[in-house]
Amino acid sequence: TKSMSLGVNGLTEVPSEIQTFKNIEHLDLEANKLTDLPTFLGNFENLVSLNARFNKFKKIPSNISKLKNLEVLNLEGNPAIDHLSEDIYELTSLKDLNMEYNPIKEISPSIGKLKNLRVLNLSNGESIERLPETVGNLKNLEILNVGVNKIKD
């Protein structure tokens, strides 16, 4: 199994039974009631895509930094996430980061570490006032969406 979809199941936690599927490359947890990711997910070394949009995360799970091969991370629509934790900046393989509809207030200069990033979607958060200069270091960035925020200059 390369892909697993557990989307739209009303899950409050990721079932521990999926631990045996360590070779999963794509995991869909969309539209559940998750507030955190289990620690065992850090063992999914082949995971390249994680869709956890429309859940109940209060913050970006700290164990996400263990997913060194992650290329696509979608945490859209988790309205309690109001900042990007430093853990996310450890995901140096990341190419697509979708944080749309999250009231993120500030972006750390550490965003410049994500050298492979091609798509950065921070739109509809209605909170970001400015972007750090290090966004200019993202030489592979093709799409930057910060619409519907409070950027002034």
Side-chain angles (χ1 to χ4, degrees):
T1 299
K2 297 257 185 194
S3 295
M4 181 176 289
S5 178
L6 296 170
V8 197
N9 274 299
L11 298 173
T12 55
E13 59 184 43
V14 178
S16 60
E17 292 82 4
I18 75 163
Q19 289 184 69
T20 56
F21 297 99
K22 288 187 174 113
N23 291 324
I24 291 174
E25 293 177 8
H26 307 278
L27 180 57
D28 181 1
L29 301 170
E30 178 176 345
N32 281 295
K33 297 175 183 174
L34 302 171
T35 57
D36 206 353
L37 292 175
T39 53
F40 68 76
L41 205 59
N43 298 328
F44 284 44
E45 295 176 4
N46 296 323
L47 197 65
V48 293
S49 173
L50 176 60
N51 178 7
R53 62 189 234 157
F54 304 122
N55 274 283
K56 306 279 185 205
F57 293 107
K58 292 178 177 47
K59 60 182 179 72
I60 295 171
S62 59
N63 57 338
I64 206 155
S65 63
K66 294 182 179 176
L67 302 173
K68 298 296 183 193
N69 293 312
L70 199 64
E71 295 179 5
V72 178
L73 177 59
N74 188 342
L75 288 171
E76 173 187 352
N78 283 280
I81 296 178
D82 63 1
H83 71 283
L84 294 179
S85 65
E86 289 298 314
D87 299 303
I88 212 159
Y89 304 120
E90 301 304 314
L91 300 174
T92 54
S93 295
L94 209 57
K95 293 180 181 174
D96 185 335
L97 176 59
N98 185 353
M99 299 299 296
E100 186 175 10
Y101 291 107
N102 295 323
I104 294 168
K105 294 176 177 65
E106 188 176 344
I107 305 298
S108 165
S110 299
I111 191 86
K113 292 181 182 179
L114 301 179
K115 303 273 188 222
N116 292 307
L117 208 57
R118 292 189 178 143
V119 177
L120 177 58
N121 188 350
L122 301 165
S123 66
N124 296 296
E126 301 181 11
S127 299
I128 298 172
E129 294 183 5
R130 64 177 202 82
L131 293 174
E133 290 181 17
T134 54
V135 168
N137 297 342
L138 303 175
K139 302 298 183 203
N140 292 309
L141 198 63
E142 297 170 9
I143 299 172
L144 172 62
N145 188 348
V146 290
V148 193
N149 273 290
K150 296 181 178 178
I151 295 176
K152 295 181 176 90
D153 54 14

PDB file of all heavy atoms in Angstrom, residues 3 14 19 21 42-43 88 92 99 111 118 120-121 124 139:
ATOM      1  N   SER A   3      -0.692   4.404  -0.734  1.00  0.00           N
ATOM      2  CA  SER A   3      -1.590   5.483  -0.316  1.00  0.00           C
ATOM      3  C   SER A   3      -2.619   4.945   0.651  1.00  0.00           C
ATOM      4  O   SER A   3      -3.082   3.811   0.520  1.00  0.00           O
ATOM      5  CB  SER A   3      -2.325   6.063  -1.519  1.00  0.00           C
ATOM      6  OG  SER A   3      -1.423   6.676  -2.401  1.00  0.00           O
ATOM      7  N   VAL A  14      -5.606   9.088  15.127  1.00  0.00           N
ATOM      8  CA  VAL A  14      -5.217   8.197  14.037  1.00  0.00           C
ATOM      9  C   VAL A  14      -5.119   6.786  14.613  1.00  0.00           C
ATOM     10  O   VAL A  14      -4.446   6.567  15.618  1.00  0.00           O
ATOM     11  CB  VAL A  14      -3.867   8.625  13.426  1.00  0.00           C
ATOM     12  CG1 VAL A  14      -3.439   7.675  12.333  1.00  0.00           C
ATOM     13  CG2 VAL A  14      -3.953  10.059  12.893  1.00  0.00           C
ATOM     14  N   GLN A  19       0.163   1.630  12.042  1.00  0.00           N
ATOM     15  CA  GLN A  19       1.613   1.594  12.287  1.00  0.00           C
ATOM     16  C   GLN A  19       2.320   0.565  11.419  1.00  0.00           C
ATOM     17  O   GLN A  19       3.490   0.728  11.101  1.00  0.00           O
ATOM     18  CB  GLN A  19       1.907   1.253  13.748  1.00  0.00           C
ATOM     19  CG  GLN A  19       1.576   2.347  14.714  1.00  0.00           C
ATOM     20  CD  GLN A  19       1.989   1.980  16.113  1.00  0.00           C
ATOM     21  OE1 GLN A  19       3.176   1.897  16.391  1.00  0.00           O
ATOM     22  NE2 GLN A  19       1.015   1.759  16.979  1.00  0.00           N
ATOM     23  N   PHE A  21       1.868  -0.059   8.402  1.00  0.00           N
ATOM     24  CA  PHE A  21       2.010   0.403   7.018  1.00  0.00           C
ATOM     25  C   PHE A  21       3.063   1.500   6.930  1.00  0.00           C
ATOM     26  O   PHE A  21       2.806   2.593   6.444  1.00  0.00           O
ATOM     27  CB  PHE A  21       0.668   0.920   6.499  1.00  0.00           C
ATOM     28  CG  PHE A  21      -0.401  -0.118   6.435  1.00  0.00           C
ATOM     29  CD1 PHE A  21      -1.346  -0.226   7.443  1.00  0.00           C
ATOM     30  CD2 PHE A  21      -0.464  -1.015   5.375  1.00  0.00           C
ATOM     31  CE1 PHE A  21      -2.342  -1.187   7.395  1.00  0.00           C
ATOM     32  CE2 PHE A  21      -1.452  -1.977   5.315  1.00  0.00           C
ATOM     33  CZ  PHE A  21      -2.400  -2.067   6.328  1.00  0.00           C
ATOM     34  N   GLY A  42       6.016   9.605  12.941  1.00  0.00           N
ATOM     35  CA  GLY A  42       7.401   9.978  12.681  1.00  0.00           C
ATOM     36  C   GLY A  42       8.233   8.843  12.111  1.00  0.00           C
ATOM     37  O   GLY A  42       9.302   9.066  11.549  1.00  0.00           O
ATOM     38  N   ASN A  43       7.742   7.615  12.224  1.00  0.00           N
ATOM     39  CA  ASN A  43       8.438   6.445  11.678  1.00  0.00           C
ATOM     40  C   ASN A  43       8.111   6.209  10.204  1.00  0.00           C
ATOM     41  O   ASN A  43       8.685   5.326   9.587  1.00  0.00           O
ATOM     42  CB  ASN A  43       8.071   5.190  12.473  1.00  0.00           C
ATOM     43  CG  ASN A  43       8.480   5.295  13.920  1.00  0.00           C
ATOM     44  OD1 ASN A  43       9.480   5.924  14.246  1.00  0.00           O
ATOM     45  ND2 ASN A  43       7.702   4.698  14.799  1.00  0.00           N
ATOM     46  N   ILE A  88       8.252  22.979  11.503  1.00  0.00           N
ATOM     47  CA  ILE A  88       7.907  22.922  10.084  1.00  0.00           C
ATOM     48  C   ILE A  88       9.078  23.339   9.207  1.00  0.00           C
ATOM     49  O   ILE A  88       9.231  22.879   8.084  1.00  0.00           O
ATOM     50  CB  ILE A  88       6.641  23.765   9.802  1.00  0.00           C
ATOM     51  CG1 ILE A  88       5.862  23.129   8.660  1.00  0.00           C
ATOM     52  CG2 ILE A  88       6.959  25.199   9.491  1.00  0.00           C
ATOM     53  CD1 ILE A  88       4.436  23.523   8.598  1.00  0.00           C
ATOM     54  N   THR A  92      12.945  20.160   5.057  1.00  0.00           N
ATOM     55  CA  THR A  92      13.679  20.753   3.936  1.00  0.00           C
ATOM     56  C   THR A  92      13.337  20.142   2.573  1.00  0.00           C
ATOM     57  O   THR A  92      13.711  20.701   1.547  1.00  0.00           O
ATOM     58  CB  THR A  92      15.193  20.681   4.192  1.00  0.00           C
ATOM     59  OG1 THR A  92      15.548  19.335   4.478  1.00  0.00           O
ATOM     60  CG2 THR A  92      15.588  21.570   5.373  1.00  0.00           C
ATOM     61  N   MET A  99      -1.438  26.350   4.042  1.00  0.00           N
ATOM     62  CA  MET A  99      -1.923  26.748   5.361  1.00  0.00           C
ATOM     63  C   MET A  99      -3.115  27.694   5.221  1.00  0.00           C
ATOM     64  O   MET A  99      -3.394  28.501   6.106  1.00  0.00           O
ATOM     65  CB  MET A  99      -0.797  27.422   6.152  1.00  0.00           C
ATOM     66  CG  MET A  99       0.404  26.548   6.415  1.00  0.00           C
ATOM     67  SD  MET A  99       0.042  25.078   7.392  1.00  0.00           S
ATOM     68  CE  MET A  99      -0.455  25.803   8.929  1.00  0.00           C
ATOM     69  N   ILE A 111      11.596  30.562   7.461  1.00  0.00           N
ATOM     70  CA  ILE A 111      10.943  30.092   6.235  1.00  0.00           C
ATOM     71  C   ILE A 111      11.972  29.956   5.112  1.00  0.00           C
ATOM     72  O   ILE A 111      11.840  29.130   4.229  1.00  0.00           O
ATOM     73  CB  ILE A 111       9.787  31.035   5.806  1.00  0.00           C
ATOM     74  CG1 ILE A 111       8.935  30.429   4.689  1.00  0.00           C
ATOM     75  CG2 ILE A 111      10.287  32.395   5.370  1.00  0.00           C
ATOM     76  CD1 ILE A 111       7.839  29.554   5.122  1.00  0.00           C
ATOM     77  N   ARG A 118       7.971  25.199  -3.606  1.00  0.00           N
ATOM     78  CA  ARG A 118       7.480  25.714  -4.889  1.00  0.00           C
ATOM     79  C   ARG A 118       6.158  26.442  -4.720  1.00  0.00           C
ATOM     80  O   ARG A 118       5.872  27.382  -5.451  1.00  0.00           O
ATOM     81  CB  ARG A 118       7.313  24.571  -5.895  1.00  0.00           C
ATOM     82  CG  ARG A 118       8.634  23.972  -6.302  1.00  0.00           C
ATOM     83  CD  ARG A 118       8.477  23.009  -7.453  1.00  0.00           C
ATOM     84  NE  ARG A 118       9.779  22.513  -7.827  1.00  0.00           N
ATOM     85  CZ  ARG A 118      10.005  21.272  -8.212  1.00  0.00           C
ATOM     86  NH1 ARG A 118       9.023  20.409  -8.288  1.00  0.00           N
ATOM     87  NH2 ARG A 118      11.214  20.900  -8.534  1.00  0.00           N
ATOM     88  N   LEU A 120       3.559  28.093  -1.727  1.00  0.00           N
ATOM     89  CA  LEU A 120       3.312  28.513  -0.349  1.00  0.00           C
ATOM     90  C   LEU A 120       1.984  29.241  -0.328  1.00  0.00           C
ATOM     91  O   LEU A 120       1.846  30.324  -0.891  1.00  0.00           O
ATOM     92  CB  LEU A 120       4.435  29.420   0.157  1.00  0.00           C
ATOM     93  CG  LEU A 120       4.280  29.989   1.573  1.00  0.00           C
ATOM     94  CD1 LEU A 120       4.129  28.875   2.609  1.00  0.00           C
ATOM     95  CD2 LEU A 120       5.467  30.886   1.910  1.00  0.00           C
ATOM     96  N   ASN A 121       0.987  28.620   0.300  1.00  0.00           N
ATOM     97  CA  ASN A 121      -0.349  29.193   0.356  1.00  0.00           C
ATOM     98  C   ASN A 121      -0.674  29.554   1.798  1.00  0.00           C
ATOM     99  O   ASN A 121      -0.862  28.680   2.642  1.00  0.00           O
ATOM    100  CB  ASN A 121      -1.383  28.209  -0.192  1.00  0.00           C
ATOM    101  CG  ASN A 121      -2.766  28.846  -0.319  1.00  0.00           C
ATOM    102  OD1 ASN A 121      -3.011  29.948   0.168  1.00  0.00           O
ATOM    103  ND2 ASN A 121      -3.661  28.131  -0.972  1.00  0.00           N
ATOM    104  N   ASN A 124      -6.229  33.741   3.001  1.00  0.00           N
ATOM    105  CA  ASN A 124      -7.474  33.714   3.763  1.00  0.00           C
ATOM    106  C   ASN A 124      -7.295  33.536   5.262  1.00  0.00           C
ATOM    107  O   ASN A 124      -8.190  33.070   5.946  1.00  0.00           O
ATOM    108  CB  ASN A 124      -8.428  32.643   3.215  1.00  0.00           C
ATOM    109  CG  ASN A 124      -8.863  32.951   1.808  1.00  0.00           C
ATOM    110  OD1 ASN A 124      -9.523  33.946   1.558  1.00  0.00           O
ATOM    111  ND2 ASN A 124      -8.437  32.129   0.866  1.00  0.00           N
ATOM    112  N   LYS A 139      14.199  30.353  -3.876  1.00  0.00           N
ATOM    113  CA  LYS A 139      14.454  30.495  -5.315  1.00  0.00           C
ATOM    114  C   LYS A 139      13.592  29.579  -6.176  1.00  0.00           C
ATOM    115  O   LYS A 139      13.409  29.841  -7.359  1.00  0.00           O
ATOM    116  CB  LYS A 139      15.936  30.240  -5.627  1.00  0.00           C
ATOM    117  CG  LYS A 139      16.883  31.163  -4.873  1.00  0.00           C
ATOM    118  CD  LYS A 139      16.678  32.613  -5.236  1.00  0.00           C
ATOM    119  CE  LYS A 139      17.681  33.498  -4.535  1.00  0.00           C
ATOM    120  NZ  LYS A 139      17.263  34.872  -4.397  1.00  0.00           N
TER     121      LYS A 139
END
